[in-house]
Amino acid sequence: MEDYSELEERLRSLRPLPLADACRARIGAGLARRRRRRRGVLACLLVAAATLLLWLAWAGAEPDVPPAPVAEDPRTPPSLRSYQQAWQESDAALFALLDQHGAQLLPRLASLPNLQDD
Amino acid sequence: MNTTPDSWNAWLDATGAALLLVARTLCRNLADAEDAVQSGFLRFWKQRAAAHNPRAYLFRCVRAAALDQQRSQARRRRREARVAAGGRQEVWFRDELERDEQRAELAAALRKLPAAQAEVVALKIFAELSFAEIGALLTLSPNTVASRYRYALKNLAQVLVGRR
């Protein structure tokens, strides 16, 4: 096998052309552009995260108060209440009336002409 | 080179000339080779942390960029236009500019080698990569790389003897 060590030494002594300054500057500019882009993305993420945190803080600070019970208006017509409730209330009112005034009412009811005819 | 320079400038100081030479073996003019070094270096810098062997990976990135560039139709048209317009002198080594005849002769012989052989010589001698590293880079076995290297040296020797 031939010995090329001398030739290798001669090759090693050659000095390749260095990178031109303009090429180096373009590489630097490319890296700087990439850094700026990465910083921009980071800034956007930070703003989004801060907005989310603020929103969460604002939502957490709101008092969790249950809605106030609506007072029952006595003028509310029975038709707006539940049918069963209205029925029970009217029954109770009728019986209370009969308890109080039944003794006086019954003779008068009996004396009414329509009732006598029926 | 075992040290790992931190800044991109230090990387370029250590490898810039060899990167350019490797790109020159694949590209046919200096401007294209510089473009390949630029885009290959930017690709390397982005992914260097994940590289097992950063130095070999840098050469792989520049080589891939040079090959991509050669495939690009638009760039080829521009290159042809530049060559047609006169272009610049094809010089790979400072020695040629300094008119050192013996070295210039060797540089010219290297330039005349087939691209695959010139590339292996550039990676072995100037990038200081091992046959195993070059094999991984070129997806060849280290033995194939070594025999290609020896063919290149044999061809160089023949060219130099033929000139005398």
Side-chain angles (χ1 to χ4, degrees):
Chain A
M1 196 176 277
E2 292 178 63
D3 182 17
Y4 295 114
S5 52
E6 190 196 340
L7 181 58
E8 283 182 302
E9 281 309 308
R10 285 182 63 197
L11 280 169
R12 282 199 181 90
S13 72
L14 289 176
R15 293 161 300 159
L17 279 182
L19 264 189
D21 287 344
C23 181
R24 192 180 278 254
R26 276 191 294 151
I27 290 173
L31 291 173
R33 200 164 42 243
R34 205 166 61 83
R35 269 197 303 270
R36 276 199 303 274
R37 199 162 45 225
R38 204 168 45 189
R39 275 194 210 131
V41 170
L42 272 176
C44 284
L45 285 175
L46 273 176
V47 168
T51 308
L52 183 66
L53 282 175
L54 277 175
W55 182 79
L56 286 174
W58 173 77
E62 248 193 344
D64 194 11
V65 180
V70 180
E72 199 166 324
D73 189 350
R75 293 167 300 178
T76 304
S79 60
L80 295 180
R81 300 180 200 155
S82 73
Y83 173 78
Q84 195 176 9
Q85 189 186 358
W87 181 261
Q88 286 169 351
E89 282 175 5
S90 65
D91 269 3
L94 180 62
F95 287 124
L97 211 65
L98 284 174
D99 280 348
Q100 282 183 357
H101 309 288
Q104 298 158 358
L105 282 174
L106 280 174
R108 291 182 67 184
L109 282 171
S111 66
L112 288 173
N114 285 346
L115 288 174
Q116 276 182 335
D117 287 345
D118 289 342
Chain B
M1 189 182 67
N2 294 325
T3 55
T4 304
D6 288 332
S7 78
W8 63 273
N9 256 318
W11 271 98
L12 285 181
D13 286 341
T15 60
L19 289 172
L20 187 63
L21 184 64
V22 169
R24 290 298 297 275
T25 63
L26 297 166
C27 305
R28 287 302 166 198
N29 65 59
L30 182 59
D32 282 359
E34 285 180 345
D35 283 352
V37 170
Q38 181 192 346
S39 54
F41 189 86
L42 291 178
R43 194 185 303 174
F44 157 75
W45 197 252
K46 191 177 173 183
Q47 294 162 349
R48 69 190 186 283
H52 174 64
N53 180 349
R55 187 179 164 82
Y57 181 62
L58 171 57
F59 281 93
R60 180 193 288 260
C61 287
V62 169
R63 183 175 185 271
L67 291 176
D68 285 350
Q69 196 183 52
Q70 292 312 296
R71 289 188 200 109
S72 157
Q73 291 290 323
R75 284 180 189 277
R76 195 171 68 194
R77 263 186 246 118
R78 260 186 281 152
R79 189 178 66 238
E80 284 166 357
R82 267 202 300 261
V83 170
R88 64 175 84 193
Q89 196 190 354
E90 292 297 311
V91 170
W92 288 7
F93 296 94
R94 273 190 279 179
D95 312 270
E96 295 170 277
L97 297 174
E98 292 166 5
R99 303 191 186 281
D100 181 331
E101 276 192 27
Q102 279 197 336
R103 289 180 175 190
E105 193 180 29
L106 182 58
L110 183 58
R111 240 183 356 253
K112 287 203 171 121
L113 284 180
Q117 291 180 13
E119 185 183 22
V120 168
V121 171
L123 289 169
K124 177 71 182 153
I125 300 281
F126 301 101
E128 298 171 16
L129 297 181
S130 67
F131 286 135
E133 287 170 331
I134 298 170
L137 200 152
L138 303 178
T139 58
L140 294 171
S141 77
N143 286 339
T144 306
V145 174
S147 69
R148 192 176 282 184
Y149 177 70
R150 290 197 69 79
Y151 269 122
L153 293 183
K154 190 178 171 186
N155 283 342
L156 273 177
Q158 282 173 355
V159 169
L160 291 172
V161 168
R163 284 192 176 196
R164 282 169 194 162

